[in-house]
Amino acid sequence: MTSTTAETAIATGTTSEVELLIGGMTCASCAARVERKLNRMEGVSATVNFATEKAKIAFGEGVLVADLIATVEKTGYTAEEPAPPEPEPVAAPKTPEQDPELGALRHRLLVSALLAAPVVLLAMVPALQFDNWQWLSLTLAAPVVVWGGAPFHRAAWTNARHGAATMDTLVSVGTLAAFGWSLWALFFGDAGMPGMHDAFRLTVSRMDGASTVYLEVAAGVVALILLGRYLEARSKRRAGAALKALMELGAKDVAVLRDGREIRVPVSSLAVGDRFVVRPGEKIATDGTVTEGVSAVDASMLTGESVPVDVAPGDRVTGATVNAGGRLVVEATRVGADTQLARMAKLVEDAQNGKAEVQRLADRISAVFVPVVILVALGTFGVWLGVTGDTAAAFTAAVAVLIIACPCALGLATPTALMVGTGRGAQLGILIKGPEVLESTRRVDTVVLDKTGTVTTGRMTLQQVYVADGEDEKELLRLAGALEHASEHPVARAVAAGAEERAGRLPRVEHFENVPGRGVRGRVDGREVAVGRLFDELPQELARAARESEQEGRTAVVAGWDGQARGILAVADAVKESSAEAVRELRALGLRPVLLTGDNRTVAEAVARTVGIDSGDVFAEVLPEDKVDVVRRLQREGRTVAMVGDGVNDAAALATADLGLAMGTGTDAAIEAGDLTLVRGDLRVAADAIRLSRRTLATIKGNLVWAFGYNVAALPLAAAGLLNPMIAGAAMAFSSVFVVTNSLRLRRFR
């Protein structure tokens, strides 16, 4: 919505909505601050999503979009309305290597790490300290603290101007204090003298301050926190491409009929009422009505219907579906934002923005922790100065407090566990999108399984052959398969492939004819063969076989020759061999499996029986919009829902569910909308994914408990002068090593 539109709506006294892009947020607490400020405005209701960097705002009369932007800017961040969509095709999402912002962060991390490593080694290993080593350390540490730590210093300054403190504040204050004290000790104290060696002492003493430098702490903290930021940024960059993948499914251009001639134009140029041509294999450009031609349309990517639908003049077709048969002429009835594909994209966007955001525990802790640490450091300085009268000793103790509290372990707790967990997951065919998705895995109690492509293969195959009395099955397959081989219909392709596999090489067909809506016929080996609904009567045993096949959810295809039906070919979307075992494993995890599909109820219940899902847990004939409603209905019943799917029709439901698991063999839209991706396309991996996610979450929480507990225990020791800054730096480093080592245990996950 543009500002003009919003202001018009306000003038009429209606409630308006606007979406703003928020810039400058570095953590979830930033999003919470922006949200709080916006919600304090009269007549405004806002939600701010840190992951998507967007604010969705509803506002009433008397509020302008400019007021909303001004409020965000006063809070210390930037805000702007999204640019209108370009008529050209949407570009593919950038890879980490192509993302300039992520590339700049990576460059900053690498340079800082290379410069900080020798500084840390020189300080922590006294045997390496040569004459004037401290000046080399200063030369190497200065660019790390000033340039490498610039993002933290800028964020801390912005927060300070608005009366707030975050993790950036503690990083900036700690590193600048350590660096500033080191400069004082080098230039005005004894630390700059040739031959100076940094002795290793456990406690603060009166003469420690002027002869001790803390450059390794200043440089090491910056490098480690940059590492954590980079790992988090990489995860976040991959999280927002669902809408792009969804919109890229549509056709890019279309052959429009103008004055009887076909003219190729961009899809964005289509208007309601335009007539356009769709050839076999092409995507239908937009929603419309068939005016000429008959064909089969593969709508599985949008509707979940596994069997292509026959269409003829007067039938409706949907944009982004594929014409699998003959040439069609379609009249456009909906274009642009009104199409089913565009509405599905809006569903995904709303589901993503409306998801309950998992607050990062480290940022929640820092909201209270950071101001407390700063107060403790100031109090330590005052108490020591009052008791001892020694400014150097007082400042040394205060610096020890700041350094021991530097949140290296807090910053590394999530990204290191996530990095190891995702690496192990990739080996097992599981991709975890980011730390935000993990918390819900612990609470999930219901798993919704899409049928087509998830529980089943998503491909039509020949399942069963029934022959009339006295007929030969191999002969039936040869003749019917040969005829179907000449057809482009997906059911015909399944029959032909099955016949060739069971009966060998197929003969040639003469005088092939496609009878629209009924089947095909032709001459094979001197016989007039027909396949489809071209027989007036069926023998009793074949009629019974057809009924049984349809009751089991299969499509019954009648085949025969010389005017007489000779057999039934049962075709269906085959259930994956691993699906039944996967359902058992999910039940063993305490999950209740639910089957969800756009297919008819007969097919759905047959599949459910095969894999062991109760008939009461089957939702059939469900449209894409209804899939979201089913997930929400289960959530309203108090269930925490995981959704497993692979099609575009599942993308919105995947985003709405508490946990979305996308099959990697499915569409890009489903994969991007899901929280976890199962690369192998094997449903059994879903149970492994939930297990691994729960283990990773437990590791993250263990890391955070350790990191925070270490700070709580060490702060009183530092304030009491029992830890000098060097010991504080070593303890801080040990805390980080512990967190990383604990995370590495995930590599042993089976």
Side-chain angles (χ1 to χ4, degrees):
M1 180 187 293
T2 63
S3 300
T4 306
T5 309
E7 288 159 16
T8 303
I10 293 166
T12 60
T14 59
T15 300
S16 305
E17 285 192 357
V18 69
E19 190 174 74
L20 298 180
L21 300 175
I22 309 297
M25 295 191 297
T26 58
C27 61
S29 58
C30 297
R33 285 185 57 222
V34 175
E35 189 173 298
R36 250 191 335 267
K37 290 283 188 181
L38 287 170
N39 285 324
R40 284 176 187 165
M41 297 176 67
E42 189 174 349
V44 173
S45 175
T47 56
V48 180
N49 191 317
F50 171 58
T52 59
E53 298 180 338
K54 290 181 180 178
K56 190 172 184 180
I57 309 168
F59 55 98
E61 189 174 356
V63 181
L64 303 179
V65 173
D67 299 331
L68 302 172
I69 293 175
T71 297
V72 175
E73 289 175 346
K74 285 177 186 175
T75 313
Y77 305 91
T78 62
E80 61 180 358
E81 294 181 75
E86 297 291 335
E88 291 80 14
V90 180
K94 293 176 182 176
T95 62
E97 290 75 16
Q98 296 170 324
D99 189 320
E101 188 178 339
L102 194 61
L105 181 56
R106 182 172 179 269
H107 175 66
R108 193 182 296 270
L109 166 63
L110 289 176
V111 173
S112 298
L114 287 173
L115 293 176
V119 177
V120 173
L121 279 174
L122 283 171
M124 303 302 286
V125 184
L128 298 178
Q129 295 173 3
F130 51 87
D131 284 349
N132 295 314
W133 66 273
Q134 65 271 42
W135 296 103
L136 174 63
S137 290
L138 175 63
T139 305
L140 296 174
V144 177
V145 175
V146 176
W147 175 78
F152 310 124
H153 307 321
R154 278 197 298 268
W157 173 244
T158 300
N159 288 322
R161 282 166 46 213
H162 295 90
T166 64
M167 295 278 278
D168 293 312
T169 306
L170 201 53
V171 174
S172 180
V173 170
T175 54
L176 289 179
F179 187 69
W181 182 263
S182 300
L183 288 178
W184 180 87
L186 285 168
F187 287 99
F188 302 105
D190 301 328
M193 296 175 61
M196 189 278 285
H197 288 268
D198 211 346
F200 193 79
R201 290 180 293 272
L202 293 175
T203 59
V204 175
S205 61
R206 289 197 171 205
M207 297 307 294
D208 283 346
S211 60
T212 304
V213 291
Y214 314 125
L215 295 170
E216 78 288 352
V217 176
V221 166
V222 169
L224 286 166
I225 299 299
L226 281 174
L227 173 63
R229 283 285 166 87
Y230 176 71
L231 295 174
E232 286 190 12
R234 279 191 57 180
S235 298
K236 204 173 91 174
R237 285 295 181 276
R238 293 194 293 265
L243 293 180
K244 290 181 180 179
L246 189 58
M247 295 308 295
E248 283 207 323
L249 283 169
K252 302 300 183 286
D253 53 23
V254 58
V256 180
L257 289 174
R258 300 268 165 85
D259 300 324
R261 294 187 302 116
E262 292 184 24
I263 302 174
R264 210 83 191 170
V265 299
V267 169
S268 57
S269 302
L270 269 180
V272 173
D274 280 348
R275 295 168 71 242
F276 58 92
V277 177
V278 188
R279 292 182 174 78
E282 288 185 338
K283 292 179 181 177
I284 297 173
T286 193
D287 299 355
T289 304
V290 177
T291 59
E292 295 178 27
V294 292
S295 182
V297 173
D298 180 2
S300 60
M301 295 171 74
L302 285 177
T303 66
E305 179 67 47
S306 56
V307 179
V309 179
D310 292 321
V311 295
D315 291 336
R316 293 180 179 179
V317 290
T318 305
T321 55
V322 178
N323 178 15
R327 177 182 183 270
L328 294 175
V329 177
V330 179
E331 181 178 327
T333 56
R334 290 187 298 193
V335 297
D338 294 329
T339 64
Q340 183 173 341
L341 180 64
R343 291 203 312 273
M344 288 178 64
K346 187 75 172 76
L347 277 175
V348 174
E349 185 174 32
D350 289 345
Q352 285 184 335
N353 287 337
K355 254 185 176 176
E357 192 178 318
V358 179
Q359 293 291 327
R360 295 177 189 270
L361 294 179
D363 284 310
R364 282 213 300 269
I365 292 167
S366 71
V368 177
F369 184 62
V370 173
V372 168
V373 168
I374 293 172
L375 288 174
V376 170
L378 291 173
T380 300
F381 179 80
V383 170
W384 271 81
L385 188 61
V387 172
T388 67
D390 190 324
T391 305
F395 199 84
T396 303
V399 169
V401 168
L402 286 172
I403 292 171
I404 200 72
C406 275
C408 288
L410 280 172
L412 290 170
T414 295
T416 54
L418 184 67
M419 181 172 65
V420 180
T422 52
R424 181 60 185 143
Q427 295 174 330
L428 301 173
I430 303 161
L431 298 181
I432 302 173
K433 186 164 287 182
E436 298 88 354
V437 311
L438 299 174
E439 191 162 303
S440 57
T441 62
R442 180 173 48 86
R443 301 189 304 268
V444 165
D445 52 34
T446 302
V447 58
V448 176
L449 306 174
D450 171 59
K451 180 185 77 67
T452 306
T454 302
V455 177
T456 65
T457 62
R459 298 186 306 274
M460 302 299 290
T461 56
L462 181 61
Q463 299 280 297
Q464 195 76 39
V465 180
Y466 304 91
V467 294
D469 293 340
E471 300 294 340
D472 179 62
E473 179 178 319
K474 191 171 182 179
E475 182 70 3
L476 174 74
L477 287 169
R478 281 184 70 255
L479 299 179
L483 189 63
E484 293 284 63
H485 194 269
S487 172
E488 291 297 320
H489 196 286
V491 170
R493 289 202 295 268
V495 170
E500 196 165 21
E501 183 181 335
R502 301 184 191 192
R505 188 172 179 180
L506 303 176
R508 295 186 54 162
V509 180
E510 299 174 342
H511 310 301
F512 175 81
E513 181 186 359
N514 182 15
V515 183
R518 298 190 65 196
V520 292
R521 57 191 173 201
R523 192 170 185 81
V524 183
D525 284 354
R527 295 174 177 174
E528 297 296 331
V529 182
V531 178
R533 292 177 292 188
L534 296 170
F535 299 93
D536 296 328
E537 293 185 7
L538 295 180
Q540 187 175 354
E541 67 271 25
L542 292 186
R544 184 171 61 252
R547 284 195 303 272
E548 290 174 356
S549 292
E550 289 170 356
Q551 287 171 358
E552 293 173 358
R554 297 170 181 163
T555 300
V557 180
V558 184
W561 52 86
D562 299 335
Q564 184 176 346
R566 313 281 179 160
I568 298 290
L569 305 171
V571 176
D573 181 8
V575 175
K576 292 179 181 177
E577 293 180 4
S578 60
S579 292
E581 183 183 344
V583 169
R584 287 194 296 272
E585 290 183 9
L586 291 169
R587 285 190 188 278
L589 282 172
L591 304 176
R592 175 180 171 184
V594 172
L595 189 67
L596 185 63
T597 179
D599 253 338
N600 65 66
R601 178 155 289 278
T602 302
V603 172
E605 290 189 346
V607 171
R609 283 195 301 273
T610 303
V611 299
I613 296 176
D614 300 334
S615 60
D617 289 328
V618 175
F619 294 87
E621 301 171 14
V622 178
L623 296 174
E625 294 88 346
D626 297 332
K627 289 192 174 187
V628 174
D629 291 339
V630 169
V631 171
R632 286 178 176 155
R633 188 193 318 169
L634 292 169
Q635 289 171 329
R636 284 195 297 271
E637 292 174 4
R639 302 190 203 176
T640 303
V641 179
M643 169 79 190
V644 187
D646 75 324
V648 177
N649 59 304
D650 304 316
L654 286 167
T656 303
D658 299 285
L659 182 70
L661 293 92
M663 304 295 282
T665 50
T667 65
D668 289 342
I671 292 169
E672 292 294 345
D675 300 313
L676 297 165
T677 300
L678 314 180
V679 177
R680 297 206 306 265
D682 186 337
L683 189 57
R684 288 175 297 186
V685 183
D688 293 332
I690 291 174
R691 240 183 252 115
L692 176 61
S693 297
R694 289 175 176 176
R695 181 79 60 81
T696 305
L697 176 67
T699 302
I700 288 172
K701 288 191 171 181
N703 285 348
L704 290 171
V705 167
W706 160 261
F708 184 58
Y710 142 82
N711 283 121
V712 169
L715 272 175
L717 297 177
L722 299 177
L723 294 175
N724 75 5
M726 178 67 82
I727 295 293
M732 177 271 296
F734 172 76
S735 178
S736 300
V737 170
F738 176 86
V739 164
V740 173
T741 305
N742 188 48
S743 298
L744 288 174
R745 294 190 306 125
L746 286 168
R747 295 169 65 180
R748 298 198 294 270
F749 176 84
R750 294 287 182 269

